[in-house]
Amino acid sequence: MAPVAPVAPVGVDAAPVGSRTPRRRGRTALLVAGAAVLGLVAGTCAGYLVQVDREPTTLPSLSQQTLPQAKGEGPEPLSAAQDRRVRTDGDLRKLLLKKPRGAKDADWLGGNDGWLDLAAYADMYEAPDEVFGNLVGDEFRRGAVTGWESGTTTLEIRLIQYRQEEAPAAADSVDNSQYWADDEDATESWTVPGTGNGMAYVHNEPEREAGYLPLYSAEAHAWRGDVAMEIWIYDTKPIPKKKIMDLAERQMERL
């Protein structure tokens, strides 16, 4: 017997399964949204009207209460012995170590009357043109130099001052010098007391050239404030640690 299709209940239109027509709600949604907008506008207008009717609020004064001034005399200014900036802004040559008794003046020093200008200092390097440009960028201010000869020993001390408006050039110059000093073969090094990262070096391997005695060297580099210190010693015999350390410590005490 062939299957019979189901009969729809009386009073209900038959419709295929899954084809029920959904209820249309578009108009109701529009009415609700419109009412919300009207409520928001009405609330804004009411708030504005309330603010308009209010008296303006007085703002607090921008001026502050006068603070009481301290009474009595201010502290005395530091003396040149206490204020190192007073010393370094004066005659830089006076801060150099004095020539020891019995030593001979060095007639090979660069500069003029103990002063080193930019060109004279750059000329002490193997590539003066390149160094000159670097010193301009480092804000070189001025330099002072001294030196002497005693027996077989030759010594030179330089104080190089920078303006330091853009960078700590004195410290950077010491770092660069130490980089090259550390790169030397057969070199011993020690920290100079009281200088932070100041270092002294003794190069135990001499420079040799036909027709000349071997040449040993030692050096020290340190800085304080805007002044960098350089000490160079040359001798035909090995230079003891005590010699370079003593010079470095005494020179830094004057800065």
Side-chain angles (χ1 to χ4, degrees):
M1 182 175 181
V4 178
V7 179
V10 178
V12 179
D13 294 335
V17 178
S19 62
R20 185 182 300 275
T21 303
R23 183 178 179 181
R24 299 182 64 182
R25 294 179 293 178
R27 183 173 181 179
T28 302
L30 289 174
L31 291 174
V32 173
V37 171
L38 289 175
L40 180 62
V41 172
T44 302
C45 293
Y48 176 76
L49 292 174
V50 170
Q51 293 295 334
V52 168
D53 291 337
R54 287 180 178 176
E55 292 292 330
T57 303
T58 303
L59 294 176
S61 175
L62 296 178
S63 62
Q64 296 183 355
Q65 183 178 359
T66 303
L67 298 176
Q69 299 294 319
K71 297 181 179 180
E73 297 182 359
E76 291 291 332
L78 295 176
S79 65
Q82 296 171 310
D83 189 350
R84 61 161 302 277
R85 190 61 184 264
V86 173
R87 287 177 285 160
T88 57
D89 278 348
D91 192 337
L92 201 60
R93 299 171 299 177
K94 293 182 178 180
L95 299 181
L96 290 162
L97 286 176
K98 304 303 180 183
K99 180 188 67 172
R101 185 175 301 175
K104 178 184 176 182
D105 287 328
D107 55 5
W108 36 261
L109 291 175
N112 182 23
D113 194 25
W115 288 110
L116 278 176
D117 60 16
L118 179 59
Y121 182 56
D123 198 48
M124 294 179 173
Y125 289 83
E126 293 182 357
D129 292 344
E130 180 180 349
V131 173
F132 187 96
N134 292 338
L135 290 172
V136 171
D138 289 339
E139 299 176 292
F140 175 93
R141 178 181 174 185
R142 57 180 181 167
V145 61
T146 188
W148 56 81
E149 299 176 4
S150 179
T152 58
T153 302
T154 299
L155 179 141
E156 183 176 358
I157 304 175
R158 307 170 193 162
L159 298 179
I160 308 302
Q161 191 171 34
Y162 299 87
R163 300 188 185 280
Q164 298 203 146
E165 296 177 359
E166 301 294 335
D172 292 344
S173 68
V174 170
D175 289 340
N176 293 335
S177 299
Q178 291 174 350
Y179 172 81
W180 292 109
D182 280 327
D183 195 45
E184 295 286 342
D185 296 331
T187 296
E188 296 181 89
S189 62
W190 306 271
T191 302
V192 179
T195 64
N197 64 342
M199 298 293 292
Y201 303 87
V202 168
H203 307 298
N204 296 313
E205 185 65 31
E207 295 182 17
R208 301 181 185 275
E209 187 175 349
Y212 294 91
L213 293 171
L215 187 64
Y216 293 86
S217 63
E219 57 188 288
H221 303 273
W223 63 277
R224 183 161 290 148
D226 55 0
V227 178
M229 176 207 72
E230 305 173 10
I231 299 180
W232 306 87
I233 305 177
Y234 299 93
D235 206 327
T236 56
K237 55 182 180 291
I239 300 169
K241 166 189 174 182
K242 181 179 179 181
K243 190 167 191 175
I244 184 65
M245 289 288 287
D246 175 66
L247 285 165
E249 290 183 54
R250 289 194 292 118
Q251 179 59 75
M252 289 304 295
E253 287 174 356
R254 298 176 65 89
L255 296 181

